[in-house]
Amino acid sequence: MDRVKAHRYGALDSLRGVCACMIVLLHFRTLGTIGGLPFVQNAFLFVDFFFVLSGFVIAASYGEKLQAGFSIVRFMGLRLGRIYPLHIFVLGIFLLFEIATMGVARNTSHQPFAGNYSLELLLANMALVQTFVGPEGASWNMPAWSIAVEVWTYLVFAISFRYLGRFIVPTAIALVLGCSLYLVFATDRYLNVFHDGAFARCLIGFSIGVITYHAHRRLQLEPPRPFASAIEIAVVVAVTGMVSVAGMGALSLLLPPLFGVAIFVFATQSGIISKLLLAPVPRYLGKISYSIYLVHLFIVYRFFNMLEVVQRKLGITGLVTSVNGEDLAGPTPLWGDLLSITMLVTVIAVASFTYSYVERPANEWSRRKLLGRREKGVPTGLLGAEMPATEGRPRI
């Protein structure tokens, strides 16, 4: 089988950044038009895009290496070196906040080191097993549930690439079918799972990513530019529509295959939307997407705390409004949208800092220790995906 030519998937990097920003908007609930869009309200489904893309990238960068004898221990070390330092850093920030608020009276129901912020769950988060222990629900830095299941999925596929290399696609298909049936019959939430069933959810997406990479490699399709633009637009419309209507229902199970189609299409980056995604701003969002994803929830929580304090101290009403037991920001839709934009810009600014001073240095240090050399300019992204710049092999 011929290898695909050396190629950097910049458009996919950018899509990862866009999806991370959608998840920020999802978690910062407001009375605004932006927060009320079904596309934003169902943005939790973009985590499955990350899973599919990670499967695509790992298959491309390590599939053959693992099959040829690359150390599984070293592979897992590289993966942990990629995702763990920032995870621990952000977890440490949550911990410091819990310590700082001990004994401080606050007009919230949150109590330090209780419930989802217990010390037992802190240890589980540190060990990346929080989705396998404790009560149903996310704990501490909620988005880290996906990092936890991703680590164990790495191990499953590292072993599969090594010992089932020739049968990796049938194995991935079997995992998609088996895990989908599990989510249908053993849960009532389909893809809206982040504790019980979360591992199966990750295996579905990652497996589809592996299948997508092998299809991309074998077919090597690159349609003429006018057709490529039309196909890209059709895929964006399909994804937007499906995310908007799928929600937490059975239709959500169609999203991972659809994301696989989107990755297959944008891997060629031949159309007009790819051209837009290759602009500097989307590319930068893709580069810092992992930081955006991991740091955003702490900032969202503290932003709400700040609004509550301002509202209480100045006697202003409407900065935080409770609707059906949920806190929403903004006294009017316009203010809600302005706050959403402010929040997103703030998260991007903080993520730029953590990327430059935590994520990237830690990743480079771990690669030097494990590979014995410095690899400059290794592109990285959400959930630990990176692709070494190897001759004749695609990189992301």
Side-chain angles (χ1 to χ4, degrees):
M1 184 184 300
D2 294 331
R3 291 182 177 181
V4 288
K5 61 185 179 180
H7 183 62
R8 179 165 179 171
Y9 300 114
L12 296 182
D13 260 339
S14 298
L15 283 174
R16 184 163 40 199
V18 171
C19 291
C21 291
M22 291 300 102
I23 292 176
V24 175
L25 296 175
L26 163 69
H27 288 148
F28 185 65
R29 307 293 290 172
T30 76
L31 289 172
T33 302
I34 294 173
L37 293 172
F39 182 71
V40 173
Q41 292 181 338
N42 295 331
F44 71 92
L45 292 167
F46 288 122
V47 174
D48 299 281
F49 177 84
F50 304 147
F51 290 152
V52 177
L53 184 55
S54 289
F56 181 93
V57 168
I58 295 301
S61 56
Y62 288 105
E64 286 186 356
K65 286 184 177 182
L66 288 163
Q67 186 177 357
F70 188 80
S71 169
I72 292 177
V73 173
R74 180 173 293 184
F75 168 77
M76 292 303 297
L78 289 168
R79 311 283 16 97
L80 287 171
R82 171 68 186 93
I83 68 174
Y84 199 69
L86 184 60
H87 167 61
I88 287 296
F89 177 81
V90 178
L91 198 58
I93 293 176
F94 272 91
L95 176 60
L96 289 174
F97 181 80
E98 293 298 301
I99 295 172
T101 54
M102 291 180 65
V104 178
R106 293 184 292 162
N107 295 329
T108 69
S109 60
H110 176 71
Q111 295 299 318
F113 296 107
N116 290 334
Y117 294 89
S118 69
L119 290 175
E120 292 82 1
L121 289 175
L122 174 63
L123 294 176
N125 274 263
M126 292 176 65
L128 293 173
V129 296
Q130 65 266 40
T131 60
F132 304 105
V133 300
E136 168 75 16
S139 58
W140 288 88
N141 187 20
M142 184 180 67
W145 73 264
S146 58
I147 308 302
V149 292
E150 183 103 2
V151 164
W152 300 106
T153 300
Y154 288 150
L155 182 59
V156 168
F157 272 89
I159 295 171
S160 299
F161 280 123
R162 169 62 57 81
Y163 299 107
L164 301 172
R166 292 177 55 195
F167 306 100
I168 192 63
V169 171
T171 300
I173 292 173
L175 282 171
V176 171
L177 295 176
C179 291
S180 297
L181 290 173
Y182 169 78
L183 290 182
V184 169
F185 293 105
T187 75
D188 59 353
R189 297 166 60 188
Y190 305 101
L191 284 190
N192 185 34
V193 290
F194 39 84
H195 191 274
D196 297 345
F199 189 35
R201 178 182 178 181
C202 182
L203 286 171
I204 290 171
F206 201 97
S207 298
I208 289 174
V210 171
I211 296 166
T212 301
Y213 168 70
H214 283 273
H216 168 68
R217 178 182 179 180
R218 179 177 292 274
L219 297 176
Q220 300 187 38
L221 298 178
E222 189 167 346
R225 189 168 298 275
F227 294 102
S229 295
I231 293 171
E232 287 183 358
I233 293 171
V235 167
V236 169
V237 170
V239 169
T240 303
M242 184 60 73
V243 169
S244 298
V245 303
M248 304 177 187
L251 284 177
S252 64
L253 291 171
L254 298 179
L255 263 301
L258 184 56
F259 288 143
V261 172
I263 289 169
F264 183 90
V265 168
F266 281 96
T268 62
Q269 48 192 33
S270 302
I272 187 171
I273 296 181
S274 287
K275 184 177 180 180
L276 295 175
L277 290 170
L278 292 172
V281 171
R283 292 291 291 272
Y284 184 71
L285 292 177
K287 184 170 69 172
I288 66 171
S289 56
Y290 181 51
S291 279
I292 291 174
Y293 184 67
L294 274 199
V295 307
H296 82 272
L297 200 62
F298 183 84
I299 300 170
V300 167
Y301 287 164
R302 303 296 75 83
F303 203 89
F304 268 105
N305 292 154
M306 180 191 70
L307 291 176
E308 290 169 349
V309 170
V310 171
Q311 182 171 262
R312 185 170 64 253
K313 295 292 186 180
L314 300 182
I316 300 173
T317 60
L319 289 182
V320 179
T321 305
S322 182
V323 179
N324 297 324
E326 181 181 21
D327 287 338
L328 302 178
T332 66
L334 176 59
W335 271 104
D337 288 338
L338 290 174
L339 289 173
S340 290
I341 296 170
T342 301
M343 168 56 60
L344 185 57
V345 171
T346 302
V347 169
I348 292 171
V350 175
S352 298
F353 176 86
T354 57
Y355 172 79
S356 297
Y357 296 101
V358 180
E359 179 187 344
R360 185 177 63 186
N363 185 37
E364 291 176 349
W365 180 86
S366 65
R367 294 186 70 83
R368 288 198 302 271
K369 292 297 182 181
L370 289 166
L371 298 177
R373 64 182 185 276
R374 183 180 182 89
E375 295 193 14
K376 296 183 178 180
V378 177
T380 57
L382 194 57
L383 298 188
E386 96 271 318
M387 185 88 66
T390 305
E391 182 64 26
R393 187 183 295 275
R395 56 195 179 101
I396 187 169

